[in-house]
Amino acid sequence: MALVRNNSINGREPVLSPRSLTSPRGLTSPRPLAVQPTPEPVRPLANFPPSIWANRFISFSLDNSELEAYANAHEEPKESVRSLITDTTIDASAKLKLIYSVHRLGLSYLYPEEIDAELDQLFKKIDLHHYEQVDLYTISVQFQVFRHHGYKLSSDIFKKFKDTTTGTFTDEVTKDVKGMLSLYESAHLRLHGEEILDEALVFTEAQLKKIVSTLEGDLANQVNQVLKRPFHTGMPMVEARLYFNTHEEDVSCYESIVKLAKVHFNYLQLQQKEELRIVSQWWKDMEFQTSVPYIRDRVPEIYLWILGLYFEPYYSRARIIATKITLFLVVLDDTYDAYATIDEIRAITDAINRWEMSAIDLLPEYIKPFYRILLNEYDDLEKEYSKDGRAFSVHASKQAFQEIARGYLEEAEWLHNGYVATFPEYMKNGLITSAYNVISKSALVGMGAIADEEALAWYETHPKILKASELISRLQDDVMTFQFERKRGQSATGVDAYIKEYNVSEEVAIKDLMKMIENAWKDINEGCLKPTEVSVALLTPILNLARMIDVVYKFDDGFTFPGKTLKDYITLLFVTPAPSLESC
Ligand SMILES: CC(C)=CCC/C(C)=C/CC/C(C)=C/COP(=O)(O)OP(=O)(O)O
Ligand SMILES: [Mg+2]
Ligand SMILES: [Mg+2]
Ligand SMILES: [Mg+2]
């Protein structure tokens, strides 16, 4: 087997690269006489599990009058909640709890100015001494509400819960389940240097795990929920539904909030089911299942991913665009990782760099339909957005798409040459193959006026918060997918590069990479504090992209094998009816 290269990764047995078997010359003995048809190369097929949804979401039929009825039903409770937020007779503590609930329910985007004005005023009035008399739960809620909205309330307010002699959290804290739960949520908002929150996270997690089986009712559900995933690292839309289900006592005192939340959930569910129908129908019409059947067929999962970036109704078109482009990325990634030969990968990258229909002749037959659809979709977007002078965002998305194709090629060349990159080299390319540059720029296309040229220029500076989100994407994916990819003889991951660079065990490498992810989260949290470099509307999708990695990869490779978390989330949002309005 002379054509098999040595892919030894740091002392592992040489990996038999499927791609190294793809040369026709490796499969046939030399026969100089008859002209042989070129045999089909051996391909690195992954046999990915099929979609678990088939055509389920295509049959949805939107009743516009129903949608309109929900839109109208918003008006009254929306105004009542606005009055509550601005009500001067509600005391500071109750007001902050109210704003906290409004945010957890996914409603704060309806009142950005009012909430900011309230918090601004309350934040200015804060006297840290005041917190000496306040309980852990209340302090933690206030800490979160300020931090959620970019106000840097000092984490020193938690100092009083530590025993000065032992340096650990007091026994009193251990007995306060609701307080610990809320402190655990707070700790996820930590910044660099906030050691008290680093400690609080470890402490409360251990304590809550210890007592969870002894709890009952809503509190048991809340603790189970937070241990699975705290609000700050969850998908906002799902977190809103879960909060509604398990925090009745926190919201039931405000009838209008309950009513608004219910109408809002129902409205959004209809709108989102329609968006999912549109992208599912498009996917079917484009016949990807026939032309590239080797890829992961994951339309609802990718739509969910994008919905995780932004759920506001006015980003409907933006979600459809970003979903389609992300689906293109899945085709590209799986083609490079699980189908194409190195020569084909070079040809596909070349054609994507050229970006002209005539380059289609360079391509293998199977990828030609994809190439045609890719160019046509971008062409349509360019036409659509040229009209209002927004074609710049389409160009930026296209350039990022070309860049990721080059990044994927780089990985393929490394594999082809049996080379494991140094860790810095890997990370430089890895931030590109994280896909988060393409996705976040593509997310801007349909966002409208807010995503202007200035916003794009900020993106082009590759700001710290974007880098952090890319790092989280790249490394958390690597930590959860490297074994599968290694077994298949795919390109070395960050885990392999780290092991090689620092000569450490796999266990240490994973621990260190998880630490890097933790630090990147602190960068993200810092980047969301006032004064922000750009508007919150532009930062939120970047924060949410990091959250979606946690959603998909916290426990396993939830994208390749979407039968757990993603199935539950898709069922909750698009299958299970939204909370009934009957009692309203
Ligand atoms: C890298 C990453 C988590 C990207 C998230 C953004 C996203 C939805 C990209 C589309 C391609 C994709 C699903 C890659 C993850 O799988 P994979 O493990 O096969 O990706 P890999 O080949 O880059 O490792
Ligand atoms: Mg892949
Ligand atoms: Mg890949
Ligand atoms: Mg991977």
Side-chain angles (χ1 to χ4, degrees):
M1 195 57 81
L3 289 167
V4 177
R5 285 170 299 277
N6 183 357
N7 277 354
S8 170
I9 297 172
N10 215 35
R12 279 196 297 127
E13 284 303 298
V15 176
L16 182 70
S17 159
R19 195 157 297 126
S20 62
L21 298 173
T22 53
S23 162
R25 282 185 293 132
L27 299 171
T28 51
S29 47
R31 265 199 232 148
L33 291 176
V35 177
Q36 298 281 313
T38 313
E40 179 62 11
V42 176
R43 297 190 174 279
L45 292 173
N47 295 318
F48 291 124
S51 168
I52 51 178
W53 302 104
N55 285 331
R56 162 153 205 155
F57 297 108
I58 288 186
S59 55
F60 175 69
S61 167
L62 177 68
D63 177 347
N64 268 309
S65 59
E66 198 186 350
L67 191 70
E68 213 170 296
Y70 283 130
N72 293 336
H74 265 100
E75 289 314 315
E76 183 234 307
K78 192 169 121 187
E79 292 318 309
S80 306
V81 174
R82 193 189 309 281
S83 308
L84 280 174
I85 293 172
T86 53
D87 188 339
T88 49
T89 65
I90 299 179
D91 71 48
S93 177
K95 181 66 74 71
L96 288 167
K97 277 187 185 155
L98 186 151
I99 296 176
Y100 177 77
S101 290
V102 166
H103 188 63
R104 292 281 312 249
L105 289 168
L107 300 168
S108 51
Y109 78 95
L110 297 170
Y111 316 101
E113 278 127 38
E114 290 86 349
I115 289 178
D116 238 30
E118 290 295 314
L119 294 181
D120 236 23
Q121 201 197 43
L122 291 168
F123 192 68
K124 275 187 200 131
K125 278 197 231 153
I126 281 179
D127 171 3
L128 290 185
H129 295 299
H130 155 81
Y131 284 110
E132 275 157 28
Q133 306 308 320
V134 185
D135 65 285
L136 179 58
Y137 173 71
T138 305
I139 289 188
S140 300
V141 166
Q142 300 198 3
F143 180 81
Q144 287 174 72
V145 78
F146 280 120
R147 290 273 175 117
H148 287 156
H149 295 274
Y151 293 85
K152 191 178 169 184
L153 181 57
S154 168
S155 54
D156 288 351
I157 52 170
F158 295 112
K159 272 190 181 160
K160 69 167 189 154
F161 298 105
K162 282 185 86 178
D163 188 318
T164 43
T165 47
T166 61
T168 57
F169 287 95
T170 60
D171 286 347
E172 221 174 293
V173 172
T174 316
K175 286 182 211 134
D176 178 4
V177 181
K178 229 171 139 59
M180 281 200 295
L181 189 156
S182 203
L183 176 58
Y184 183 62
E185 294 272 24
S186 304
H188 288 83
L189 293 152
R190 65 201 158 143
L191 309 172
H192 295 283
E194 289 191 315
E195 276 136 34
I196 192 161
L197 293 182
D198 291 335
E199 289 165 31
L201 198 148
V202 176
F203 175 81
T204 49
E205 184 170 336
Q207 290 298 324
L208 291 170
K209 278 183 178 161
K210 215 192 279 178
I211 52 148
V212 62
S213 61
T214 65
L215 305 173
E216 283 174 355
D218 262 3
L219 193 58
N221 292 334
Q222 289 168 14
V223 173
N224 272 311
Q225 191 177 311
V226 81
L227 285 174
K228 215 168 177 188
R229 184 167 288 106
F231 169 68
H232 189 54
T233 54
M235 175 176 172
M237 200 55 240
V238 166
E239 291 307 315
R241 287 285 293 271
L242 297 179
Y243 182 82
F244 184 82
N245 291 344
T246 54
H247 288 73
E248 208 188 330
E249 72 179 279
D250 293 335
V251 289
S252 59
C253 51
Y254 297 112
E255 218 178 284
S256 52
I257 296 186
V258 176
K259 190 168 176 191
L260 178 62
K262 285 184 178 177
V263 180
H264 188 246
F265 286 140
N266 279 276
Y267 178 87
L268 292 194
Q269 186 175 60
L270 281 188
Q271 186 191 43
Q272 291 162 11
K273 280 168 89 167
E274 173 65 357
E275 290 167 10
L276 181 52
R277 181 196 68 77
I278 291 170
V279 289
S280 302
Q281 186 65 57
W282 170 80
W283 182 254
K284 188 163 185 248
D285 292 347
M286 296 297 122
E287 300 181 336
F288 284 113
Q289 279 160 329
T290 316
S291 61
V292 286
Y294 52 85
I295 69 161
R296 288 169 287 187
D297 186 358
R298 301 283 182 271
V299 178
E301 290 80 5
I302 291 294
Y303 173 71
L304 184 87
W305 207 310
I306 298 303
L307 178 63
L309 266 66
Y310 35 34
F311 61 80
E312 292 84 343
Y314 41 80
Y315 292 141
S316 181
R317 177 83 185 114
R319 281 190 287 275
I320 291 172
I321 294 167
T323 301
K324 287 182 179 180
I325 295 173
T326 308
L327 285 166
F328 288 146
L329 287 175
V330 179
V331 177
L332 199 71
D333 185 54
D334 285 341
T335 299
Y336 282 46
D337 288 341
Y339 197 78
T341 67
I342 185 70
D343 289 336
E344 290 171 349
I345 289 174
R346 289 175 186 143
I348 299 166
T349 314
D350 189 23
I352 289 176
N353 278 322
R354 289 198 200 185
W355 208 279
E356 57 196 12
M357 214 42 108
S358 59
I360 204 164
D361 299 332
L362 299 171
L363 295 173
E365 277 314 309
Y366 64 87
I367 208 70
K368 284 183 179 173
F370 163 73
Y371 189 70
R372 198 173 290 117
I373 296 164
L374 176 73
L375 264 58
N376 285 341
E377 280 295 329
Y378 269 95
D379 219 33
D380 289 350
L381 286 176
E382 219 167 305
K383 283 187 195 122
E384 179 180 346
Y385 286 99
S386 298
K387 281 182 228 147
D388 51 356
R390 295 192 38 78
F392 62 88
S393 62
V394 183
H395 296 152
S397 162
K398 188 200 291 183
Q399 277 161 13
F401 199 91
Q402 292 172 315
E403 183 188 46
I404 198 171
R406 293 192 292 272
Y408 285 162
L409 169 67
E410 175 100 358
E411 284 181 343
E413 295 289 3
W414 285 340
L415 175 66
H416 182 68
N417 295 316
Y419 175 66
V420 179
T422 65
F423 191 67
E425 210 175 2
Y426 177 82
M427 284 313 290
K428 186 165 179 261
N429 197 52
L431 293 191
I432 297 169
T433 63
S434 76
Y436 271 15
N437 186 39
V438 194
I439 299 177
S440 56
K441 279 192 185 145
S442 306
L444 296 178
V445 174
M447 277 179 87
I450 184 145
D452 57 12
E453 284 183 90
E454 210 179 306
L456 194 64
W458 175 77
Y459 265 77
E460 296 296 358
T461 64
H462 204 195
K464 200 174 186 181
I465 189 169
L466 179 58
K467 270 192 204 137
S469 194
E470 291 170 355
L471 180 144
I472 292 168
S473 164
R474 183 64 277 160
L475 292 184
Q476 196 148 342
D477 175 82
D478 282 349
V479 165
M480 298 319 273
T481 67
F482 79 96
Q483 274 162 329
F484 178 80
E485 292 170 10
R486 199 191 256 177
K487 232 183 264 164
R488 291 183 13 79
Q490 274 184 223
S491 174
T493 64
V495 179
D496 301 311
Y498 195 87
I499 290 171
K500 183 186 153 192
E501 183 88 24
Y502 300 106
N503 198 21
V504 291
S505 68
E506 194 172 288
E507 208 184 343
V508 170
I510 291 172
K511 210 169 125 241
D512 289 357
L513 297 184
M514 293 307 286
K515 189 83 201 158
M516 289 171 70
I517 291 172
E518 209 177 287
N519 280 328
W521 265 106
K522 292 178 182 173
D523 286 343
I524 291 184
N525 292 342
E526 303 243 11
C528 291
L529 292 178
K530 287 174 191 288
T532 53
E533 291 181 11
V534 289
S535 71
V536 173
L538 293 167
L539 290 178
T540 307
I542 298 176
L543 159 67
N544 284 340
L545 276 167
R547 289 170 161 163
M548 286 311 290
I549 286 294
D550 197 82
V551 166
V552 179
Y553 293 103
K554 182 167 181 178
F555 304 110
D556 51 18
D557 177 358
F559 183 69
T560 303
F561 307 100
K564 293 183 200 156
T565 308
L566 295 193
K567 184 180 178 191
D568 288 351
Y569 280 21
I570 289 166
T571 306
L572 176 71
L573 294 185
F574 316 126
V575 180
T576 313
S580 160
L581 296 174
E582 256 160 40
S583 58
C584 287

